[in-house]
Amino acid sequence: MSDLISNCTLTVTEILGVATAVAGRWELGEVIQSVSGDVATFLTHDHFDAAILLEDKKSLSTYETGLETQWGGTTRLVEASPIRAIFNNAAEYIVSEDAQTDPQFQHPGMYTAPIFEANLRARLHVAMVISGEVIGALSFSRNTATPYTKNDIANCLVVSRIISPYVHGLLQSDRTDDAKLDAARQAALREGLRRGARELTGELEKSQAQMGMNLHDQTLADLSRISRTIDDRTELNAEELNVLRSDVSSCLTELRRIVNELRPSVLELFGLAEALRQLVEKENALRPDIEVTFVDQLPDNDAHHDEDVEFGFFRIAQEAIHNAFKHSNASHIDVELTFHDDTMVVSVRDNGCGIEEIHSKNRGGIFNMKTRAALFGAQFEIRPVSPSGTLIYLASPLKISADEKVSA
């Protein structure tokens, strides 16, 4: 192992990328899909899967991404696997230049059909190990006979060491009888993870806010100065000056939009309700043909979220509102900010084309909303409504002191 690791070429950024990719994933399938994107930058592949040993140590369950094969979602015997040497702890890795002709993938009785059906050729398999015990294997495959190198093997082993503890934790959670869990310990663990994620998100938001202030104080000031200079120029004719003024004006408008997105000052100064109200008004100004209803039923007391949670709430609502105006083809949009049972709820409902079309146009935005909600433990739902349209629902408990509850 030590000799192989010396061939690792991963940068700190790449290692952190893999580690970050698994954060907040509660399903093994999501872990594999998320890691695949980060790994692709240094370990090209057309198919990636994780074969996980089940409790009996005799069976495997496979999670895959990239090409869809018969392996995905199936359970099979270890002894029928062409890479069983890894599961039996007899090999740390297996590499093949061309699985279509490699003898180790030609043994009778082996479950190798997907290799040939998906035309998998160059292959690399490494063990997933926890405390000396093999828990599964990662497999990367290409549709070309472009061999994986010693550097690739070393990099893949490092990836395995990064994600194996996380996968092991998910497996243990799945295999434990919920009725026998130590509720307090599990709650503390989850809260610790969420708190760390919230703090990280908060820092990112603060960095964006600082960027917004820098743009406002420097870039916009420079462009304003240029605009004044142009006004004083006499060498250019009137038509040329008008063109320049128009260009600078467009730059100023765009930069102000960027600043507002990076530093939602209305949110900081006046709270979530007013920030959402202004957001709806701005979107509606661009699409005045859409009828909009905005309802604010938050309590008047000082009930509040942590600042980073409120930022998260705003960003999710911002994405949902933008999607409704841009992608839904709706004629009516309802945005409601309500409060009941110590829980704040934001809902965005439209009568447009429906969730499937929105999802196909904006997969990244919907994924980001789900991820942000998971980071601070909020309930997030996106579902179709009758007779047509989409509802996005976000809910999270408000932090209200005992005195506030009494006065309310």
Side-chain angles (χ1 to χ4, degrees):
M1 175 66 181
S2 58
D3 292 338
L4 286 170
I5 289 299
S6 65
N7 293 308
C8 178
T9 61
L10 299 184
T11 65
V12 172
T13 299
E14 289 169 333
I15 291 174
L16 288 175
V18 175
T20 304
V22 302
R25 315 296 175 194
W26 302 105
E27 300 290 340
L28 285 172
E30 292 180 356
V31 171
I32 299 307
Q33 291 178 5
S34 182
V35 168
S36 178
D38 285 81
V39 170
T41 61
F42 56 85
L43 198 67
T44 58
H45 58 276
D46 297 298
H47 180 267
F48 171 42
D49 71 55
I52 306 299
L53 274 172
L54 302 183
E55 282 188 279
D56 62 5
K57 305 300 181 183
K58 297 179 181 180
S59 305
L60 302 167
S61 184
T62 302
Y63 304 83
E64 65 179 354
T65 186
L67 298 172
E68 293 185 3
T69 74
Q70 295 179 32
W71 283 322
T74 63
T75 299
R76 63 190 188 280
L77 294 176
V78 169
E79 290 308 307
S81 171
I83 60 169
R84 61 191 181 283
I86 288 180
F87 303 112
N88 293 331
N89 208 13
E92 189 174 33
Y93 67 91
I94 294 174
V95 64
S96 173
E97 181 174 339
D98 191 350
Q100 298 292 312
T101 59
D102 193 327
Q104 65 185 324
F105 296 105
Q106 312 298 322
H107 293 298
M110 296 295 100
Y111 189 54
T112 58
I115 293 176
F116 303 100
E117 293 172 359
N119 190 35
L120 304 182
R121 304 190 69 181
R123 306 200 75 203
L124 172 58
H125 316 268
V126 301
M128 301 177 69
V129 181
I130 292 292
S131 301
E133 180 181 353
V134 177
I135 64 170
L138 300 180
S139 298
F140 295 89
S141 301
R142 295 169 176 161
N143 289 137
T144 60
T146 307
Y148 287 100
T149 66
K150 288 183 178 180
N151 297 131
D152 292 330
I153 297 171
N155 294 342
C156 190
L157 285 168
V158 170
V159 170
S160 175
R161 296 306 185 267
I162 293 172
I163 71 174
S164 291
Y166 197 90
V167 170
H168 179 68
L170 291 179
L171 290 172
Q172 294 305 307
S173 176
D174 289 341
R175 293 170 180 172
T176 302
D177 183 358
D178 289 341
K180 296 180 180 179
L181 286 176
D182 181 339
R185 184 174 67 85
Q186 292 298 317
L189 174 61
R190 290 192 178 94
E191 179 59 26
L193 290 171
R194 288 170 180 163
R195 186 177 301 162
R198 288 201 304 266
E199 291 174 357
L200 175 60
T201 303
E203 288 302 314
L204 291 174
E205 294 287 358
K206 290 175 183 176
S207 296
Q208 287 186 326
Q210 183 62 49
M211 188 184 301
M213 287 187 286
N214 290 341
L215 282 171
H216 181 273
D217 295 339
Q218 182 175 344
T219 309
L220 289 176
D222 290 343
L223 284 173
S224 296
R225 176 179 51 79
I226 293 171
S227 181
R228 290 194 298 272
T229 301
I230 292 175
D231 287 339
D232 297 333
R233 292 284 297 274
T234 58
E235 294 82 1
L236 300 176
N237 60 44
E239 183 178 353
E240 291 171 328
L241 282 172
N242 287 335
V243 170
L244 288 175
R245 288 194 187 97
S246 177
D247 289 343
V248 172
S249 178
S250 296
C251 289
L252 289 169
T253 300
E254 178 64 15
L255 281 173
R256 287 193 179 98
R257 183 190 66 78
I258 294 173
V259 169
N260 286 335
E261 289 184 355
L262 289 172
R263 182 176 55 87
S265 56
V266 176
L267 173 64
E268 297 168 354
L269 295 174
F270 301 107
L272 183 63
E274 187 59 30
L276 292 183
R277 185 189 304 277
Q278 292 202 17
L279 180 63
V280 169
E281 291 175 354
K282 287 181 180 179
E283 292 282 359
N284 200 199
L286 298 174
R287 290 293 308 276
D289 56 310
I290 299 178
E291 183 181 358
V292 178
T293 301
F294 180 82
V295 176
D296 168 23
Q297 294 181 346
L298 284 187
D300 294 330
N301 59 23
D302 294 327
H304 63 282
H305 280 283
D306 289 338
E307 183 182 75
D308 51 356
V309 174
E310 193 163 80
F311 265 123
F313 234 91
F314 176 79
R315 292 302 186 193
I316 294 170
Q318 182 182 44
E319 182 73 28
I321 292 167
H322 178 71
N323 284 351
F325 276 94
K326 184 174 182 180
H327 299 301
S328 72
N329 295 321
S331 61
H332 190 94
I333 297 173
D334 291 312
V335 179
E336 294 189 0
L337 183 60
T338 59
F339 173 80
H340 55 84
D341 295 332
D342 293 347
T343 298
M344 181 169 69
V345 176
V346 170
S347 65
V348 180
R349 177 171 180 160
D350 65 70
N351 65 347
C353 58
I355 184 174
E356 292 300 325
E357 186 169 339
I358 291 177
H359 192 273
S360 66
K361 293 178 179 178
N362 194 25
R363 292 178 184 273
I366 293 174
F367 175 79
N368 289 341
M369 285 190 286
K370 291 180 178 179
T371 301
R372 280 188 181 273
L375 284 176
F376 56 87
Q379 178 186 355
F380 177 87
E381 296 180 17
I382 177 168
R383 59 179 183 263
V385 294
S386 180
S388 68
T390 303
L391 171 67
I392 293 179
Y393 174 94
L394 179 69
S396 181
L398 282 167
K399 293 188 175 180
I400 305 178
S401 68
D403 291 341
E404 289 169 342
K405 288 184 178 181
V406 170
S407 62

